[in-house]
Amino acid sequence: MEILQENFGEINGHPVTSTTLVNDQGMEVVSIDYGCIISKIIVPDKTGKRENVVLGFDTIEEYINDSPYFGAVVGRFAGRIKEGTFELDSQTYQLEKNNNGHHLHGGLKGFDKVIWNSQVLKGESEVSIVYNYLSPDGEEGYPGNLDMKVKYTLTNANEFLISYEAISDKKTLINVTNHSYFNLSGNLKRDILEHDLTLKSDSFLELDNELIPTGEILSVEGTPFDFREGRYIKDGVESEHPQNVLAGNGYDHPFLLAEKENKEMVLKDEESGRQLTVETDQPSVVLYTGTQLESNFTIRGVKARKYLGLCLETQGLPDSIHHSHFPSNILDKDEVFRSTTKYVFDVID
Ligand code: G6D
């Protein structure tokens, strides 16, 4: 097990450090303290060839200029909040409206756009980095001084765990996730249309044409949203289902998970033989198939394009504050929020 650190650049005079967690199987996870961004995950394919399986950059400038949340921790509230406004204890709050008149992913200066403090921890069979950021009361319109911790842990069993912990001195909202775009082909050799996803979910949220949840919870039965027995991502791209069309010919939807911490999501790329299993304690996952990726920049030499990566954003339900039948994302004063998502990389049996 090893931990390597080096300078990754600087933002307004603040140095940004890159940290590489390495296990004894040759798996590597590289992250930077700007946005806790995961910039590389190196895992072997079925022949043992070690390649990168996430979309990322090698310079801080590209993250600032081009990145649609590549690898970033997203918050205080991942997803959209309608019109960026909500009420808590009869007080109305107005968040930054940074997306089409609504609030998206924590606003203009969300968790993805700040420099976090970091501390590394080296164990016998695992290595970790703990990121910490104190989001001041009123930041992007949110109430409360929120002390946020994110821990990345790599084990010798090729498990990568992301653990979140938060506490606030006022009642507030919290819905945090990681926005890595996975592409198991290795070094972006192919897009993700032939990736096969198995997802234990019987229902998903209906979205309106501004991608805001309508409140309706739809059954996956008989639709391209039924991943229970496995399905190629391309099915949702070729589909004429109005929700696939509305998402830009693909998926950008929250799915309600039928189980927790029990292999809820398994993503496979048959050609490389790579497999990613994701387990979480969160009630839902947003499947986003990179439908808004434009081709106006390159990613380590590969021209950006739709479907070059997909996100499995484990989290609560977007806009939950406006839908009382959704699980709550309200964090009471001095209540401790904790959540863990586990990613296990191996090869298909
Ligand atoms: C688009 O609607 C999608 C979001 O789900 C995604 O997170 C973002 O692009 C990167 O806004």
Side-chain angles (χ1 to χ4, degrees):
M1 309 300 289
E2 270 193 285
I3 300 176
L4 310 168
Q5 291 192 297
E6 61 181 357
N7 180 269
F8 189 79
E10 64 174 45
I11 298 175
N12 304 327
H14 288 277
V16 174
T17 299
S18 160
T19 300
T20 302
L21 305 177
V22 188
N23 72 10
D24 300 335
Q25 323 306 325
M27 180 172 168
E28 294 183 24
V29 178
V30 186
S31 60
I32 62 175
D33 30 337
Y34 177 67
C36 309
I37 288 172
I38 297 168
S39 66
K40 263 186 201 166
I41 297 180
I42 306 282
V43 291
D45 69 0
K46 62 189 173 190
T47 69
K49 189 174 183 188
R50 297 168 60 248
E51 296 171 308
N52 174 45
V53 294
V54 291
L55 275 58
F57 297 117
D58 294 321
T59 68
I60 195 70
E61 290 76 16
E62 289 171 292
Y63 277 112
I64 291 169
N65 299 328
D66 298 328
S67 178
Y69 305 93
F70 283 171
V73 163
V74 166
R76 293 193 193 188
F77 197 99
R80 289 170 172 83
I81 294 177
K82 189 178 173 78
E83 297 170 2
T85 182
F86 63 92
E87 195 174 297
L88 283 180
D89 295 341
S90 312
Q91 181 156 354
T92 299
Y93 295 93
Q94 181 59 60
L95 303 174
E96 184 64 49
K97 293 182 177 180
N98 62 311
N99 182 267
N100 203 18
H102 305 293
H103 180 79
L104 173 67
H105 290 347
L108 290 173
K109 187 191 167 199
F111 288 164
D112 62 297
K113 293 188 178 57
V114 296
I115 295 179
W116 295 59
N117 296 316
S118 65
Q119 180 191 3
V120 294
L121 303 167
K122 191 167 186 308
E124 280 298 306
S125 57
E126 63 183 42
V127 283
S128 303
I129 181 163
V130 179
Y131 290 105
N132 182 221
Y133 175 64
L134 180 60
S135 172
D137 183 25
E139 187 167 63
E140 293 299 310
Y142 289 98
N145 290 296
L146 182 84
D147 189 349
M148 186 77 219
K149 283 188 177 58
V150 177
K151 182 177 183 182
Y152 290 158
T153 298
L154 177 62
T155 76
N156 242 347
N158 281 8
E159 298 166 329
F160 175 58
L161 294 96
I162 304 183
S163 300
Y164 306 94
E165 186 174 299
I167 190 166
S168 171
D169 60 5
K170 283 183 191 171
K171 183 181 278 191
T172 191
L173 296 183
I174 185 86
N175 183 38
V176 62
T177 192
N178 181 274
H179 206 291
S180 288
Y181 291 62
F182 297 103
N183 180 324
L184 301 181
S185 67
N187 296 344
L188 311 187
K189 282 197 289 294
R190 294 178 297 279
D191 60 31
I192 48 94
L193 296 179
E194 301 288 333
H195 279 32
D196 175 282
L197 175 66
T198 301
L199 172 56
K200 293 180 180 177
S201 170
D202 306 320
S203 55
F204 67 105
L205 296 192
E206 179 187 62
L207 303 178
D208 69 15
N209 57 16
E210 294 183 329
L211 301 175
I212 300 285
T214 64
E216 288 302 309
I217 298 176
L218 304 177
S219 168
V220 302
E221 189 67 40
T223 78
F225 290 79
D226 188 350
F227 289 90
R228 293 173 294 190
E229 303 303 321
R231 176 182 293 279
Y232 288 118
I233 295 298
K234 66 181 177 185
D235 291 2
V237 173
E238 295 159 1
S239 146
E240 292 178 1
H241 189 293
Q243 287 289 306
N244 288 125
V245 174
L246 170 135
N249 297 106
Y251 302 90
D252 194 354
H253 291 78
F255 287 78
L256 287 89
L257 293 169
E259 295 183 33
K260 286 189 179 179
E261 298 170 308
N262 186 20
K263 298 185 179 4
E264 304 92 291
M265 293 151 266
V266 181
L267 184 68
K268 295 178 181 177
D269 174 51
E270 284 143 14
E271 189 157 343
S272 69
R274 289 191 178 95
Q275 175 176 283
L276 166 62
T277 302
V278 183
E279 301 183 347
T280 184
D281 55 12
Q282 286 301 293
S284 78
V285 61
V286 169
L287 170 62
Y288 171 55
T289 51
T291 40
Q292 296 196 24
L293 274 175
E294 299 297 335
S295 40
N296 51 357
F297 59 90
T298 59
I299 307 164
R300 291 180 176 130
V302 177
K303 200 160 182 51
R305 63 185 192 272
K306 284 176 86 164
Y307 317 121
L308 198 52
L310 68 82
C311 304
L312 293 167
E313 303 161 48
T314 55
Q315 59 185 272
L317 290 177
D319 205 34
S320 53
I321 191 67
H322 293 132
H323 301 280
S324 57
H325 58 302
F326 289 3
S328 169
N329 292 100
I330 293 172
L331 183 67
D332 284 322
K333 178 181 183 302
D334 298 333
E335 176 191 358
V336 179
F337 168 83
R338 286 192 181 91
S339 173
T340 296
T341 292
K342 179 167 80 170
Y343 306 79
V344 182
F345 292 89
D346 53 20
V347 292
I348 301 167
D349 293 337

